[in-house]
Amino acid sequence: QVQLVESGGGLVQPGGSLRLSCAASGSIFSINHMGWYRQAPGKQRDLVASITSSGSTNYADSVKGRFIISRDNAKNTVYLQMNSLKPEDTAVYYCNVVMNNWSYSAWGQGTQVTVSS
């Protein structure tokens, strides 16, 4: 059993910053991929940023240059530093971890990020 616990969401004004955290616990033998996704009302759940256990990263074009994904493999934790937030970033953010030789995928419960003046 693997659980992902997210934290760090909230209400922020445009131009502000938030840092999301996602800590995984349970029967984790290896982590292959970690990522952040978001879903706005009426929209699909889309990839925001991802990182491999070796440190390779990729970002959606809409957040490139503003968001930074990082991870701490020893703590099985992935972070998303969000800077220069825009109203368009408003969504529920979900973390995802693929682990154990790509055999298992777990999702966090989601954390609401609202960017509004």
Side-chain angles (χ1 to χ4, degrees), residues 4 6 22 33-37 78 94-98 105-108:
L4 273 57
E6 300 181 28
C22 176
H33 181 272
M34 308 179 85
W36 288 95
Y37 297 71
V78 61
Y94 300 88
C95 65
N96 171 259
V97 179
V98 182
S105 177
W107 289 89

Side-chain angles (χ1 to χ4, degrees), residues 44-57:
Q44 295 182 341
R45 184 178 298 185
D46 294 325
L47 179 68
V48 177
S50 65
I51 187 169
T52 68
S53 58
S54 62
S56 297
T57 61

Side-chain angles (χ1 to χ4, degrees), residues 36-91:
W36 288 95
Y37 297 71
R38 68 186 181 187
Q39 187 169 24
K43 301 292 185 180
Q44 295 182 341
R45 184 178 298 185
D46 294 325
L47 179 68
V48 177
S50 65
I51 187 169
T52 68
S53 58
S54 62
S56 297
T57 61
N58 67 82
Y59 298 89
D61 288 341
S62 59
V63 308
K64 194 171 297 182
R66 299 188 296 121
F67 292 9
I68 301 172
I69 188 171
S70 61
R71 88 283 185 267
D72 186 335
N73 286 345
K75 297 180 179 179
N76 292 327
T77 300
V78 61
Y79 307 92
L80 185 67
Q81 178 66 46
M82 304 184 294
N83 301 314
S84 301
L85 283 161
K86 305 174 180 179
E88 304 94 282
D89 297 317
T90 296

